[in-house]
Amino acid sequence: MTLPTRINRAMVFDPFEATQRDFDTALNRFFSGRDVAQNGRGWVPNSVDVREDGDHLYVEAELPGFKKEEVEITLENQNLTISAEHKAEKNEGEKGDWLLRERRYSRFLRSFTLPPTVDDQKVDAKLNDGVLTITLNKREETKPRRISVG
């Protein structure tokens, strides 16, 4: 990505310049193959993987840059919702004028309907190196069991 070539420090609003900037941004997104995310920024890599084994269901979400205090997980009526919101802190001591500022806000929101085999009473969540891992136990009565032939 290139930095803007024109920096307008005046407080005068120029509708033609704003339109040109919006057009340039749209073209840049189109030709770079990026899609617009919910938060209005370019594509943000927040991928989610869901897998299972005989005893558990695992949900892994990429949440780079989020702190555990910014992540909220809810489980209600077999619906798992992961949300995270990051707002940049306002540093009073910052020096210099911003030329480009894209990291001030990001948001993540995903919901999943879980199968009835999941036990909603036992859920474990960990955020490690930007990856949120949620482990959900399956109900004992729904786990496969081996039956011996008599």
Side-chain angles (χ1 to χ4, degrees), residues 9-59:
R9 297 187 192 276
M11 298 304 287
V12 178
F13 177 74
D14 181 0
F16 295 109
E17 184 176 340
T19 303
Q20 179 65 42
R21 187 175 51 245
D22 291 344
F23 183 72
D24 289 344
T25 301
L27 282 179
N28 187 20
R29 286 182 180 156
F30 178 78
F31 286 115
S32 67
R34 295 188 308 170
D35 197 5
V36 179
Q38 288 176 326
N39 59 16
R41 292 182 9 197
W43 176 79
V44 179
N46 295 119
S47 303
V48 177
D49 294 331
V50 180
R51 60 187 170 86
E52 72 175 325
D53 60 20
D55 297 326
H56 303 94
L57 188 73
Y58 304 96
V59 179

Short mmCIF file of all heavy atoms in Angstrom, two decimals, residues 9-59:
data_model
loop_
_atom_site.label_atom_id
_atom_site.label_comp_id
_atom_site.label_asym_id
_atom_site.label_seq_id
_atom_site.Cartn_x
_atom_site.Cartn_y
_atom_site.Cartn_z
N ARG A 9 -3.46 19.74 4.93
CA ARG A 9 -3.47 20.11 6.34
C ARG A 9 -4.50 21.18 6.65
O ARG A 9 -4.72 21.51 7.79
CB ARG A 9 -2.09 20.56 6.76
CG ARG A 9 -1.06 19.46 6.63
CD ARG A 9 0.25 19.90 7.21
NE ARG A 9 1.31 18.99 6.84
CZ ARG A 9 1.58 17.87 7.49
NH1 ARG A 9 0.87 17.52 8.50
NH2 ARG A 9 2.58 17.10 7.09
N ALA A 10 -5.14 21.71 5.64
CA ALA A 10 -6.15 22.74 5.85
C ALA A 10 -7.45 22.10 6.32
O ALA A 10 -7.72 20.94 6.07
CB ALA A 10 -6.39 23.52 4.56
N MET A 11 -8.26 22.85 7.00
CA MET A 11 -9.53 22.36 7.52
C MET A 11 -10.67 22.57 6.51
O MET A 11 -11.81 22.32 6.83
CB MET A 11 -9.86 23.05 8.85
CG MET A 11 -8.85 22.78 9.95
SD MET A 11 -8.61 21.03 10.27
CE MET A 11 -10.13 20.65 11.08
N VAL A 12 -10.36 22.98 5.32
CA VAL A 12 -11.38 23.22 4.29
C VAL A 12 -11.74 21.90 3.65
O VAL A 12 -10.87 21.13 3.24
CB VAL A 12 -10.85 24.22 3.23
CG1 VAL A 12 -11.87 24.43 2.15
CG2 VAL A 12 -10.44 25.51 3.89
N PHE A 13 -13.03 21.60 3.54
CA PHE A 13 -13.50 20.36 2.94
C PHE A 13 -13.66 20.57 1.44
O PHE A 13 -14.39 21.45 0.99
CB PHE A 13 -14.84 19.94 3.56
CG PHE A 13 -15.41 18.71 2.92
CD1 PHE A 13 -14.85 17.47 3.17
CD2 PHE A 13 -16.49 18.80 2.06
CE1 PHE A 13 -15.37 16.34 2.59
CE2 PHE A 13 -17.02 17.66 1.47
CZ PHE A 13 -16.45 16.43 1.74
N ASP A 14 -12.98 19.75 0.66
CA ASP A 14 -13.06 19.81 -0.79
C ASP A 14 -13.79 18.56 -1.26
O ASP A 14 -13.24 17.46 -1.20
CB ASP A 14 -11.67 19.89 -1.39
CG ASP A 14 -11.69 19.99 -2.91
OD1 ASP A 14 -12.78 20.00 -3.51
OD2 ASP A 14 -10.60 20.06 -3.50
N PRO A 15 -15.05 18.68 -1.74
CA PRO A 15 -15.80 17.48 -2.13
C PRO A 15 -15.17 16.74 -3.31
O PRO A 15 -15.26 15.53 -3.41
CB PRO A 15 -17.18 18.02 -2.49
CG PRO A 15 -17.00 19.47 -2.72
CD PRO A 15 -15.82 19.89 -1.91
N PHE A 16 -14.50 17.45 -4.21
CA PHE A 16 -13.86 16.79 -5.35
C PHE A 16 -12.67 15.96 -4.90
O PHE A 16 -12.45 14.85 -5.38
CB PHE A 16 -13.44 17.82 -6.40
CG PHE A 16 -14.61 18.54 -7.01
CD1 PHE A 16 -14.86 19.86 -6.73
CD2 PHE A 16 -15.48 17.86 -7.85
CE1 PHE A 16 -15.95 20.51 -7.27
CE2 PHE A 16 -16.57 18.50 -8.41
CZ PHE A 16 -16.81 19.84 -8.12
N GLU A 17 -11.90 16.49 -3.95
CA GLU A 17 -10.77 15.73 -3.44
C GLU A 17 -11.24 14.51 -2.66
O GLU A 17 -10.67 13.42 -2.78
CB GLU A 17 -9.89 16.61 -2.54
CG GLU A 17 -8.65 15.89 -2.07
CD GLU A 17 -7.71 16.77 -1.26
OE1 GLU A 17 -7.81 18.01 -1.37
OE2 GLU A 17 -6.91 16.21 -0.52
N ALA A 18 -12.31 14.66 -1.88
CA ALA A 18 -12.85 13.53 -1.13
C ALA A 18 -13.36 12.45 -2.08
O ALA A 18 -13.14 11.25 -1.85
CB ALA A 18 -13.97 14.00 -0.20
N THR A 19 -14.02 12.85 -3.15
CA THR A 19 -14.53 11.89 -4.14
C THR A 19 -13.36 11.18 -4.82
O THR A 19 -13.40 9.96 -5.01
CB THR A 19 -15.40 12.61 -5.19
OG1 THR A 19 -16.46 13.28 -4.51
CG2 THR A 19 -15.96 11.63 -6.19
N GLN A 20 -12.32 11.92 -5.18
CA GLN A 20 -11.14 11.32 -5.81
C GLN A 20 -10.48 10.32 -4.86
O GLN A 20 -10.08 9.23 -5.26
CB GLN A 20 -10.13 12.40 -6.22
CG GLN A 20 -8.87 11.86 -6.86
CD GLN A 20 -9.13 11.19 -8.19
OE1 GLN A 20 -9.91 11.69 -8.99
NE2 GLN A 20 -8.48 10.06 -8.42
N ARG A 21 -10.38 10.67 -3.58
CA ARG A 21 -9.77 9.78 -2.59
C ARG A 21 -10.59 8.50 -2.44
O ARG A 21 -10.05 7.40 -2.41
CB ARG A 21 -9.63 10.51 -1.26
CG ARG A 21 -8.86 9.72 -0.22
CD ARG A 21 -8.61 10.49 1.07
NE ARG A 21 -9.83 11.08 1.61
CZ ARG A 21 -10.05 12.39 1.71
NH1 ARG A 21 -9.14 13.25 1.30
NH2 ARG A 21 -11.18 12.86 2.21
N ASP A 22 -11.93 8.64 -2.38
CA ASP A 22 -12.79 7.46 -2.27
C ASP A 22 -12.67 6.57 -3.51
O ASP A 22 -12.65 5.35 -3.42
CB ASP A 22 -14.25 7.88 -2.07
CG ASP A 22 -14.49 8.50 -0.71
OD1 ASP A 22 -13.63 8.35 0.19
OD2 ASP A 22 -15.54 9.15 -0.54
N PHE A 23 -12.59 7.19 -4.67
CA PHE A 23 -12.45 6.44 -5.92
C PHE A 23 -11.10 5.71 -5.95
O PHE A 23 -11.04 4.53 -6.32
CB PHE A 23 -12.58 7.39 -7.12
CG PHE A 23 -12.51 6.69 -8.44
CD1 PHE A 23 -13.55 5.91 -8.89
CD2 PHE A 23 -11.38 6.83 -9.24
CE1 PHE A 23 -13.49 5.26 -10.11
CE2 PHE A 23 -11.32 6.19 -10.46
CZ PHE A 23 -12.36 5.40 -10.90
N ASP A 24 -10.04 6.39 -5.56
CA ASP A 24 -8.72 5.75 -5.52
C ASP A 24 -8.70 4.57 -4.55
O ASP A 24 -8.11 3.53 -4.83
CB ASP A 24 -7.64 6.76 -5.11
CG ASP A 24 -7.36 7.80 -6.18
OD1 ASP A 24 -7.75 7.57 -7.35
OD2 ASP A 24 -6.76 8.84 -5.85
N THR A 25 -9.36 4.74 -3.40
CA THR A 25 -9.42 3.66 -2.41
C THR A 25 -10.17 2.46 -2.97
O THR A 25 -9.76 1.32 -2.81
CB THR A 25 -10.10 4.15 -1.12
OG1 THR A 25 -9.34 5.24 -0.60
CG2 THR A 25 -10.18 3.05 -0.07
N ALA A 26 -11.31 2.72 -3.64
CA ALA A 26 -12.09 1.63 -4.23
C ALA A 26 -11.29 0.90 -5.30
O ALA A 26 -11.29 -0.34 -5.36
CB ALA A 26 -13.39 2.18 -4.82
N LEU A 27 -10.59 1.63 -6.15
CA LEU A 27 -9.76 0.99 -7.18
C LEU A 27 -8.63 0.18 -6.57
O LEU A 27 -8.33 -0.93 -7.01
CB LEU A 27 -9.18 2.05 -8.13
CG LEU A 27 -10.12 2.60 -9.19
CD1 LEU A 27 -9.42 3.65 -10.03
CD2 LEU A 27 -10.64 1.49 -10.09
N ASN A 28 -8.02 0.73 -5.52
CA ASN A 28 -6.94 0.02 -4.85
C ASN A 28 -7.44 -1.29 -4.27
O ASN A 28 -6.79 -2.33 -4.40
CB ASN A 28 -6.34 0.91 -3.76
CG ASN A 28 -5.09 0.29 -3.14
OD1 ASN A 28 -4.48 -0.58 -3.72
ND2 ASN A 28 -4.75 0.76 -1.96
N ARG A 29 -8.60 -1.28 -3.64
CA ARG A 29 -9.18 -2.51 -3.08
C ARG A 29 -9.53 -3.50 -4.18
O ARG A 29 -9.34 -4.70 -4.03
CB ARG A 29 -10.41 -2.19 -2.25
CG ARG A 29 -10.10 -1.57 -0.93
CD ARG A 29 -11.34 -1.31 -0.13
NE ARG A 29 -11.01 -0.71 1.14
CZ ARG A 29 -11.82 0.02 1.85
NH1 ARG A 29 -13.03 0.26 1.42
NH2 ARG A 29 -11.44 0.53 2.99
N PHE A 30 -10.05 -3.01 -5.28
CA PHE A 30 -10.45 -3.89 -6.38
C PHE A 30 -9.24 -4.58 -7.00
O PHE A 30 -9.20 -5.79 -7.18
CB PHE A 30 -11.21 -3.10 -7.44
CG PHE A 30 -11.60 -3.92 -8.63
CD1 PHE A 30 -12.68 -4.78 -8.56
CD2 PHE A 30 -10.87 -3.84 -9.80
CE1 PHE A 30 -13.04 -5.54 -9.66
CE2 PHE A 30 -11.22 -4.61 -10.90
CZ PHE A 30 -12.31 -5.47 -10.83
N PHE A 31 -8.20 -3.82 -7.31
CA PHE A 31 -7.05 -4.39 -7.99
C PHE A 31 -6.12 -5.16 -7.07
O PHE A 31 -5.33 -5.98 -7.53
CB PHE A 31 -6.28 -3.30 -8.75
CG PHE A 31 -7.00 -2.86 -9.98
CD1 PHE A 31 -7.49 -1.58 -10.10
CD2 PHE A 31 -7.22 -3.74 -11.02
CE1 PHE A 31 -8.16 -1.17 -11.23
CE2 PHE A 31 -7.90 -3.35 -12.17
CZ PHE A 31 -8.37 -2.06 -12.27
N SER A 32 -6.20 -4.91 -5.77
CA SER A 32 -5.35 -5.68 -4.86
C SER A 32 -6.05 -6.95 -4.40
O SER A 32 -5.47 -7.74 -3.68
CB SER A 32 -4.96 -4.83 -3.65
OG SER A 32 -6.10 -4.55 -2.86
N GLY A 33 -7.30 -7.15 -4.80
CA GLY A 33 -8.02 -8.36 -4.45
C GLY A 33 -8.55 -8.39 -3.04
O GLY A 33 -8.94 -9.42 -2.54
N ARG A 34 -8.56 -7.25 -2.38
CA ARG A 34 -9.07 -7.20 -1.01
C ARG A 34 -10.56 -6.93 -1.02
O ARG A 34 -11.06 -6.22 -1.87
CB ARG A 34 -8.35 -6.12 -0.20
CG ARG A 34 -6.90 -6.40 -0.02
CD ARG A 34 -6.27 -5.43 0.93
NE ARG A 34 -6.57 -4.06 0.56
CZ ARG A 34 -6.29 -3.03 1.33
NH1 ARG A 34 -5.74 -3.22 2.49
NH2 ARG A 34 -6.56 -1.81 0.95
N ASP A 35 -11.22 -7.48 -0.07
CA ASP A 35 -12.65 -7.26 0.10
C ASP A 35 -12.86 -6.34 1.28
O ASP A 35 -12.01 -6.22 2.14
CB ASP A 35 -13.36 -8.59 0.33
CG ASP A 35 -14.86 -8.49 0.11
OD1 ASP A 35 -15.33 -7.43 -0.30
OD2 ASP A 35 -15.53 -9.48 0.38
N VAL A 36 -13.98 -5.69 1.33
CA VAL A 36 -14.28 -4.78 2.44
C VAL A 36 -14.89 -5.58 3.57
O VAL A 36 -15.85 -6.31 3.40
CB VAL A 36 -15.25 -3.67 1.98
CG1 VAL A 36 -15.56 -2.75 3.13
CG2 VAL A 36 -14.63 -2.89 0.83
N ALA A 37 -14.32 -5.47 4.75
CA ALA A 37 -14.83 -6.18 5.92
C ALA A 37 -15.93 -5.37 6.59
O ALA A 37 -16.24 -4.26 6.18
CB ALA A 37 -13.67 -6.42 6.89
N GLN A 38 -16.51 -5.93 7.65
CA GLN A 38 -17.60 -5.28 8.37
C GLN A 38 -17.20 -3.91 8.90
O GLN A 38 -17.99 -3.01 8.98
CB GLN A 38 -18.01 -6.12 9.57
CG GLN A 38 -18.73 -7.38 9.24
CD GLN A 38 -18.98 -8.19 10.50
OE1 GLN A 38 -18.19 -8.19 11.43
NE2 GLN A 38 -20.09 -8.87 10.53
N ASN A 39 -15.95 -3.78 9.30
CA ASN A 39 -15.54 -2.56 9.96
C ASN A 39 -15.14 -1.46 8.99
O ASN A 39 -14.67 -0.42 9.41
CB ASN A 39 -14.39 -2.85 10.93
CG ASN A 39 -13.20 -3.46 10.25
OD1 ASN A 39 -13.07 -3.41 9.03
ND2 ASN A 39 -12.32 -4.05 11.03
N GLY A 40 -15.29 -1.67 7.68
CA GLY A 40 -15.00 -0.63 6.72
C GLY A 40 -13.56 -0.59 6.28
O GLY A 40 -13.22 0.08 5.32
N ARG A 41 -12.68 -1.31 6.95
CA ARG A 41 -11.29 -1.38 6.52
C ARG A 41 -11.17 -2.46 5.47
O ARG A 41 -12.12 -3.13 5.12
CB ARG A 41 -10.40 -1.73 7.71
CG ARG A 41 -10.33 -0.64 8.72
CD ARG A 41 -9.41 -0.96 9.85
NE ARG A 41 -8.64 -2.16 9.65
CZ ARG A 41 -8.03 -2.81 10.61
NH1 ARG A 41 -8.12 -2.38 11.82
NH2 ARG A 41 -7.35 -3.90 10.37
N GLY A 42 -9.96 -2.66 5.02
CA GLY A 42 -9.72 -3.73 4.07
C GLY A 42 -9.89 -5.09 4.73
O GLY A 42 -10.19 -5.21 5.90
N TRP A 43 -9.66 -6.14 3.96
CA TRP A 43 -9.82 -7.49 4.44
C TRP A 43 -8.98 -7.71 5.69
O TRP A 43 -7.83 -7.35 5.76
CB TRP A 43 -9.39 -8.46 3.35
CG TRP A 43 -9.42 -9.87 3.75
CD1 TRP A 43 -10.51 -10.67 3.83
CD2 TRP A 43 -8.31 -10.67 4.15
NE1 TRP A 43 -10.14 -11.91 4.24
CE2 TRP A 43 -8.80 -11.94 4.45
CE3 TRP A 43 -6.96 -10.42 4.28
CZ2 TRP A 43 -7.98 -12.97 4.87
CZ3 TRP A 43 -6.13 -11.44 4.71
CH2 TRP A 43 -6.66 -12.71 5.00
N VAL A 44 -9.60 -8.30 6.70
CA VAL A 44 -8.91 -8.59 7.95
C VAL A 44 -8.88 -10.11 8.12
O VAL A 44 -9.91 -10.76 8.02
CB VAL A 44 -9.66 -7.94 9.14
CG1 VAL A 44 -8.96 -8.26 10.45
CG2 VAL A 44 -9.76 -6.45 8.94
N PRO A 45 -7.70 -10.67 8.37
CA PRO A 45 -7.59 -12.14 8.42
C PRO A 45 -8.09 -12.72 9.73
O PRO A 45 -7.30 -13.06 10.61
CB PRO A 45 -6.09 -12.36 8.25
CG PRO A 45 -5.47 -11.15 8.84
CD PRO A 45 -6.42 -10.02 8.53
N ASN A 46 -9.37 -12.85 9.89
CA ASN A 46 -9.96 -13.46 11.07
C ASN A 46 -10.64 -14.75 10.67
O ASN A 46 -11.86 -14.85 10.63
CB ASN A 46 -10.94 -12.53 11.76
CG ASN A 46 -10.28 -11.29 12.32
OD1 ASN A 46 -10.60 -10.19 11.92
ND2 ASN A 46 -9.35 -11.45 13.22
N SER A 47 -9.86 -15.76 10.38
CA SER A 47 -10.39 -17.05 9.96
C SER A 47 -10.81 -17.87 11.17
O SER A 47 -10.25 -17.72 12.26
CB SER A 47 -9.35 -17.81 9.16
OG SER A 47 -8.93 -17.05 8.06
N VAL A 48 -11.79 -18.76 10.96
CA VAL A 48 -12.27 -19.64 12.02
C VAL A 48 -12.25 -21.07 11.51
O VAL A 48 -12.67 -21.34 10.38
CB VAL A 48 -13.70 -19.25 12.46
CG1 VAL A 48 -14.22 -20.23 13.51
CG2 VAL A 48 -13.75 -17.84 12.99
N ASP A 49 -11.76 -21.98 12.34
CA ASP A 49 -11.79 -23.41 12.05
C ASP A 49 -12.61 -24.10 13.12
O ASP A 49 -12.52 -23.76 14.30
CB ASP A 49 -10.37 -24.01 12.06
CG ASP A 49 -9.50 -23.48 10.94
OD1 ASP A 49 -10.05 -23.11 9.89
OD2 ASP A 49 -8.26 -23.44 11.11
N VAL A 50 -13.42 -25.09 12.71
CA VAL A 50 -14.21 -25.89 13.64
C VAL A 50 -13.90 -27.35 13.34
O VAL A 50 -13.96 -27.77 12.18
CB VAL A 50 -15.72 -25.62 13.49
CG1 VAL A 50 -16.52 -26.47 14.48
CG2 VAL A 50 -16.03 -24.15 13.68
N ARG A 51 -13.54 -28.11 14.38
CA ARG A 51 -13.27 -29.53 14.21
C ARG A 51 -13.80 -30.28 15.41
O ARG A 51 -14.13 -29.68 16.44
CB ARG A 51 -11.78 -29.78 13.99
CG ARG A 51 -10.90 -29.34 15.11
CD ARG A 51 -9.40 -29.47 14.76
NE ARG A 51 -8.60 -28.83 15.77
CZ ARG A 51 -8.19 -29.41 16.89
NH1 ARG A 51 -8.51 -30.66 17.15
NH2 ARG A 51 -7.47 -28.75 17.77
N GLU A 52 -13.89 -31.61 15.28
CA GLU A 52 -14.38 -32.41 16.39
C GLU A 52 -13.67 -33.74 16.45
O GLU A 52 -13.10 -34.21 15.47
CB GLU A 52 -15.90 -32.64 16.27
CG GLU A 52 -16.33 -33.58 15.19
CD GLU A 52 -17.83 -33.85 15.20
OE1 GLU A 52 -18.42 -33.91 16.29
OE2 GLU A 52 -18.37 -34.03 14.11
N ASP A 53 -13.70 -34.31 17.64
CA ASP A 53 -13.26 -35.68 17.83
C ASP A 53 -14.39 -36.38 18.60
O ASP A 53 -15.49 -35.85 18.72
CB ASP A 53 -11.90 -35.76 18.52
CG ASP A 53 -11.87 -35.13 19.90
OD1 ASP A 53 -12.94 -34.96 20.52
OD2 ASP A 53 -10.76 -34.80 20.38
N GLY A 54 -14.12 -37.56 19.12
CA GLY A 54 -15.17 -38.31 19.80
C GLY A 54 -15.70 -37.66 21.06
O GLY A 54 -16.85 -37.85 21.44
N ASP A 55 -14.88 -36.82 21.72
CA ASP A 55 -15.27 -36.24 23.00
C ASP A 55 -15.49 -34.74 22.99
O ASP A 55 -16.10 -34.20 23.91
CB ASP A 55 -14.20 -36.55 24.06
CG ASP A 55 -14.04 -38.03 24.32
OD1 ASP A 55 -15.06 -38.75 24.25
OD2 ASP A 55 -12.91 -38.47 24.59
N HIS A 56 -14.96 -34.03 21.99
CA HIS A 56 -14.98 -32.57 22.02
C HIS A 56 -15.30 -31.97 20.66
O HIS A 56 -15.13 -32.62 19.62
CB HIS A 56 -13.60 -32.02 22.45
CG HIS A 56 -13.14 -32.53 23.76
ND1 HIS A 56 -12.32 -33.62 23.89
CD2 HIS A 56 -13.38 -32.09 25.01
CE1 HIS A 56 -12.07 -33.84 25.17
NE2 HIS A 56 -12.70 -32.92 25.88
N LEU A 57 -15.70 -30.71 20.71
CA LEU A 57 -15.84 -29.85 19.54
C LEU A 57 -14.89 -28.68 19.77
O LEU A 57 -14.89 -28.09 20.86
CB LEU A 57 -17.28 -29.36 19.40
CG LEU A 57 -17.64 -28.62 18.14
CD1 LEU A 57 -17.71 -29.59 16.97
CD2 LEU A 57 -18.98 -27.93 18.28
N TYR A 58 -14.06 -28.35 18.79
CA TYR A 58 -13.06 -27.30 18.93
C TYR A 58 -13.36 -26.17 17.95
O TYR A 58 -13.61 -26.42 16.78
CB TYR A 58 -11.65 -27.83 18.64
CG TYR A 58 -11.26 -29.00 19.50
CD1 TYR A 58 -11.41 -30.30 19.02
CD2 TYR A 58 -10.73 -28.82 20.76
CE1 TYR A 58 -11.04 -31.39 19.80
CE2 TYR A 58 -10.35 -29.90 21.54
CZ TYR A 58 -10.52 -31.19 21.06
OH TYR A 58 -10.16 -32.26 21.83
N VAL A 59 -13.32 -24.95 18.44
CA VAL A 59 -13.47 -23.77 17.59
C VAL A 59 -12.20 -22.94 17.77
O VAL A 59 -11.85 -22.58 18.90
CB VAL A 59 -14.72 -22.94 18.00
CG1 VAL A 59 -14.84 -21.70 17.13
CG2 VAL A 59 -15.97 -23.79 17.92
#
